[in-house]
Amino acid sequence: MGDWKPASYPSLSPYLICRSPEPVMAFLTAVFEATVLRRYDRPDGSLMHAELRIDDSVVMIGGGATDYLSAEVHIHVYVPDAQAVYDRAITSGAEAVQAPVRKAADDDLRGGFRDPAGNLWWIATQ
């Protein structure tokens, strides 16, 4: 790898722009055990930009005082235990979309939920 991106970062990262990014960051930490890699605040202390690691991926979050907001976003994440992650999400205040289920002709156990900003997270375990 060259020096054109941070070491251990993927080439592609979703970027979620939220009116209230702090609850989304807390949600990702509680549900996916995300860790904050970088955070940049505005002079007033509000979040301008953050980068969180979930397993081998990075989710970027911006928000607060911005004219740019994400439209409805769907994000798919493979996790070791879809049922446990779904349960943590619901306990953390997520809106249930689909309880984990294994459908015919699909090797994955899949479920879905909405985070505090309305982003739709699809989780799966093969």
Side-chain angles (χ1 to χ4, degrees):
M1 284 286 153
D3 59 0
W4 51 273
K5 66 181 180 78
S8 79
Y9 271 55
S11 295
L12 177 70
S13 294
Y15 200 147
L16 309 177
I17 308 297
C18 311
R19 288 190 200 285
S20 299
E22 298 292 344
V24 175
M25 292 175 61
F27 180 82
L28 296 180
T29 300
V31 174
F32 293 106
E33 300 175 341
T35 56
V36 176
L37 300 174
R38 297 197 261 189
R39 179 187 173 119
Y40 304 98
D41 291 331
R42 292 183 178 86
D44 68 1
S46 66
L47 178 78
M48 181 172 58
H49 174 84
E51 299 170 3
L52 289 84
R53 177 171 301 287
I54 298 174
D55 191 35
D56 61 353
S57 301
V58 175
V59 175
M60 297 184 181
I61 298 179
T66 182
D67 292 333
Y68 304 101
L69 294 175
S70 297
E72 183 174 72
V73 175
H74 291 247
I75 302 167
H76 185 275
V77 183
Y78 275 105
V79 296
D81 185 340
Q83 186 65 57
V85 170
Y86 180 84
D87 292 344
R88 282 197 305 268
I90 300 307
T91 299
S92 297
E95 174 191 338
V97 173
Q98 175 186 300
V101 63
R102 192 176 316 274
K103 295 180 181 179
D106 187 352
D107 293 334
D108 296 347
L109 177 67
R110 296 184 190 279
F113 47 83
R114 287 189 191 281
D115 71 20
N119 301 304
L120 186 55
W121 293 83
W122 293 101
I123 53 170
T125 302
Q126 188 169 44

